[in-house]
Amino acid sequence: MIEAAARAAQEEFDSDAARVESLLTFLESFRSYAAQRDPEPELVENSERSAAGRLWSQASEVRTDLPVLAGSLLLYLCGRFENFVRELAGSVVEDLVDSTAKYVDLPPALKKEHLSRVLAINQSPGRYGYDPDAAAALAVEWAHGFSSGDSGFSVTPDVITITESNMNPGTLTDVLKRVGVGEVWETLGKQASVKLHLSEVRDGDCTRMAKIKLEALMKERNKIAHPTKDTEFPDAGYVRSAAEYFRVLAKELLNIVLVLRAAAN
């Protein structure tokens, strides 16, 4: 079950990242079109070319503002990557629940995380996007599993994978560690695809650079999410590099999780 769910999450993210790359190609083409010289008057007057003439006129006015659009795509990419990591960790939670007869038999670390998150949500429901009734329902879910010796208990994956900050290197480590996936960055640093993308040969250097890049992207995301008049938005090339990085990272995270779960089973 975990393979189907985890692969679906990765494929959906990869598809979204590829769509971002296509939009970036469009932005670059649009910018190039807007930068060309004024179209010949006869082409603009021609009924078949008048629309192109109007587009060129409008494009010329917004050409220098296109980084704002590229920045929005980066904001979207970072958010989608965060959601992917949570979905991936959630698939591990579902797999653990499906393969465990009783709540008491779940890994101790997972049970500890479950209780901790349920208590935190009930103390401040709004902070985590819950209303009081939904938060109380999570407490009932936990109590049923804890007190019952029967099968059929449930654990809401979103509770285990909830985050309070951007998916920076530390948060990524924490979320996956909650579901028993440890040393994730060290493992990523050994993967050929990550080394190739980052142009790093040594495991340690690759690990370090992979973390640095994710940290930088999340900081850039924060600047875009809270812009000021002095905010400089990234160009299409920067965002394209981010999309490529996220696609490589997501695929290898999927592989790491699947290998670990296969070994555990």
Side-chain angles (χ1 to χ4, degrees), residues 100-120:
T100 303
K102 302 177 181 179
Y103 185 89
V104 69
D105 295 328
L106 285 172
L110 182 61
K111 289 186 292 185
K112 180 179 179 180
E113 287 292 343
H114 190 203
L115 175 58
S116 175
R117 305 295 161 184
V118 167
L119 289 175

Side-chain angles (χ1 to χ4, degrees), residues 3 7 34 59 65 78-79 116 133 140 144 151 158 168 171 175 201 208-209 211 247 256 259:
E3 182 167 357
R7 286 195 184 280
D65 293 327
C78 290
S116 175
D133 290 340
V140 171
H144 171 75
S151 59
D158 288 351
N168 55 50
T171 302
V175 170
V201 176
R208 180 175 59 84
M209 289 306 301
K211 294 171 72 173
R247 294 179 76 178
I256 290 170
V259 168

Side-chain angles (χ1 to χ4, degrees), residues 74-96:
L74 179 62
L75 197 65
Y76 171 77
L77 264 177
C78 290
R80 276 296 285 115
F81 179 72
E82 177 178 335
N83 185 70
F84 161 71
V85 173
R86 293 188 62 192
E87 285 186 327
L88 186 62
S91 70
V92 179
V93 174
E94 292 175 342
D95 186 53
L96 287 168

Side-chain angles (χ1 to χ4, degrees), residues 189-206:
K190 298 176 182 178
Q191 307 310 309
S193 63
V194 182
K195 290 180 177 179
L196 183 61
H197 177 74
L198 297 174
S199 299
E200 295 290 348
V201 176
R202 298 179 178 178
D203 295 355
D205 292 338
C206 185

Side-chain angles (χ1 to χ4, degrees), residues 210-225:
K211 294 171 72 173
I212 287 174
K213 184 155 188 172
L214 182 59
E215 184 70 39
L217 287 170
M218 290 303 164
K219 286 183 178 179
E220 191 70 27
R221 174 195 185 179
N222 286 343
K223 289 196 298 182
I224 296 169

Side-chain angles (χ1 to χ4, degrees), residues 100-170:
T100 303
K102 302 177 181 179
Y103 185 89
V104 69
D105 295 328
L106 285 172
L110 182 61
K111 289 186 292 185
K112 180 179 179 180
E113 287 292 343
H114 190 203
L115 175 58
S116 175
R117 305 295 161 184
V118 167
L119 289 175
I121 290 170
N122 272 270
Q123 287 176 346
S124 306
R127 180 179 181 181
Y128 298 100
Y130 286 82
D131 60 43
D133 290 340
L138 292 177
V140 171
E141 176 186 83
W142 175 85
H144 171 75
F146 180 77
S147 61
S148 175
D150 300 329
S151 59
F153 67 90
S154 61
V155 175
T156 302
D158 288 351
V159 172
I160 306 298
T161 65
I162 202 164
T163 56
E164 297 182 53
S165 61
N166 290 338
M167 194 56 66
N168 55 50

